Amino acid sequence: MSRMPTAAEIDEAARLLEAGQLVAFPTETVYGLGADAENPQALARIYAAKGRPSNHPIIVHVVDGADIGYWVDDVPEAAQRLIDAFWPGPLTLILKRAAHIPAAVAGGQDSVGLRCPSHPVAQALLSRFKRGRGGIAAPSANKFGQVSPTTAQHVRDEFGDAVFVLEGDGVEVGIESTIVDLSRVDRGVGPVLLRPGAITPAMMEAVLGAAPLPPDAAAPRASGTLKAHYAPRTPLFLVAPHDLAAHLADLPADARVAWVAREPVADSRCVWVEAPADAAAYARELYRLLRRLDREGYARLCVAPLPDGHEWAGVRDRLQRAAAAFSG
């Protein structure tokens, strides 16, 4: 288990951020690779360190009780309702970006993604950084398109000693935040769900009176929404049990395949990895599991289909994007 950082380590992390350097820190979703959201040179360091395309926006993390009006042109009523219900927590809102906020943090778009994380280490850092008046731009602390980190060691595995890392237990959600677009409400569009996560459409419907709409062609670009993303190094495929034998027909008899499912299968090549039974546990363990399986030398990772239901949408989304990296 990770330890919690000292006050001196929080102070050092804030100092580094204010000096334009990168700091990795835990949130309740995954570890973030943070930089001063208002410093274009620091933002460029994030893009370079991750190998991230410069048009792929970065979410800005703000302290609990932050003045959201500093970051955006307008806070629609629907956005305020979601803030009141789910912040601090794993929900990102896309809103119209204020003109003085660097376009680089939004991938050049006129919108910006904001989130208030609930993890105590993230909140401590945000409270100390610029005396609570700054924002920390932070995508997941891994190389672009690969498996997100949920421990400090995962971050060190990616970046070694090149990035200052704050320790922190309690990465409880395990997958990235839900993203909802509210940047086009003034044009009669939205709210629109861009990325599923722990905050489900049903939970938002209870607050807004209607579920968010599905993504449309004019929706802004958002973090983690490319077709192929979250991918391990080992080829990963989503395979129904009755299709598994045909899927593995091209592999030699001595190949080792990880079969991630609720039940085992009668194939000598398949090493059964029991999948968690509920959506929250699956999400919490997903990235840790993928990183472990990557180290164990399997020829393939085969994952059984997930149950239906909104509560499974976030995990299903991450696995589908991971598998897309190997679909040819």
Side-chain angles (χ1 to χ4, degrees):
M1 297 290 287
S2 300
R3 63 176 178 83
M4 299 299 280
T6 65
E9 288 167 334
I10 295 287
D11 287 346
E12 175 64 6
R15 185 193 68 77
L16 289 168
L17 289 171
E18 291 169 13
Q21 301 304 309
L22 304 184
V23 169
F25 62 98
T27 78
E28 74 279 18
T29 59
V30 300
Y31 266 72
L33 183 64
D36 182 349
E38 297 181 82
N39 182 334
Q41 290 74 34
L43 295 171
R45 290 190 175 96
I46 289 181
Y47 286 107
K50 283 180 63 73
R52 185 184 184 93
S54 61
N55 68 347
H56 203 59
I58 302 172
I59 294 168
V60 177
H61 295 65
V62 296
V63 74
D64 190 13
D67 177 12
I68 303 304
Y70 176 79
W71 298 93
V72 302
D73 276 347
D74 181 52
V75 182
E77 180 185 356
Q80 190 60 56
R81 288 186 183 181
L82 293 173
I83 288 170
D84 293 342
F86 300 116
W87 280 15
L91 177 67
T92 294
L93 301 180
I94 308 295
L95 299 167
K96 189 71 71 175
R97 176 173 55 85
H100 65 273
I101 302 303
V105 79
Q109 300 178 111
D110 64 359
S111 57
V112 64
L114 296 177
R115 180 164 106 77
C116 178
S118 63
H119 196 288
V121 174
Q123 281 295 318
L125 179 59
L126 286 159
S127 295
R128 175 63 181 80
F129 175 58
K130 293 186 175 179
R131 299 181 179 179
R133 294 191 292 271
I136 302 177
S140 56
N142 57 278
K143 297 296 184 179
F144 184 71
Q146 298 178 10
V147 178
S148 300
T150 55
T151 70
Q153 186 57 49
H154 291 166
V155 181
R156 296 188 181 101
D157 291 344
E158 296 277 342
F159 298 108
D161 296 330
V163 174
F164 184 89
V165 182
L166 284 176
E167 303 269 352
D169 292 336
V171 178
E172 296 177 349
V173 176
I175 61 171
E176 297 79 1
S177 61
T178 302
I179 300 180
V180 178
D181 174 37
L182 292 128
S183 66
R184 299 172 291 161
V185 170
D186 59 343
R187 289 177 271 161
V189 179
V192 174
L193 178 63
L194 301 185
R195 181 175 71 183
I199 306 301
T200 66
M203 294 165 68
M204 289 183 277
E205 183 176 6
V207 172
L208 300 176
L213 300 170
D216 59 278
R221 298 185 302 279
S223 295
T225 56
L226 297 179
K227 180 180 178 181
H229 218 85
Y230 314 110
R233 294 188 301 274
T234 309
L236 183 150
F237 300 89
L238 303 178
V239 187
H242 60 268
D243 293 329
L244 186 60
H247 177 79
L248 300 179
D250 64 323
L251 290 181
D254 60 350
R256 292 174 69 248
V257 175
W259 169 242
V260 183
R262 290 290 298 140
E263 303 290 342
V265 291
D267 189 311
S268 61
R269 293 168 295 184
C270 292
V271 177
W272 180 39
V273 180
E274 186 173 5
D278 70 90
Y282 207 127
R284 189 165 52 248
E285 294 301 322
L286 175 62
Y287 294 145
R288 190 190 307 265
L289 174 63
L290 292 181
R291 284 176 175 267
R292 175 172 69 81
L293 296 178
D294 253 348
R295 297 193 300 269
E296 295 183 354
Y298 291 104
R300 289 182 191 174
L301 310 181
C302 292
V303 181
L306 301 180
D308 294 329
H310 285 310
E311 70 273 20
W312 288 93
V315 183
R316 191 161 47 243
D317 172 83
R318 303 316 188 269
L319 284 171
Q320 287 171 345
R321 295 181 195 278
F326 306 100
S327 65

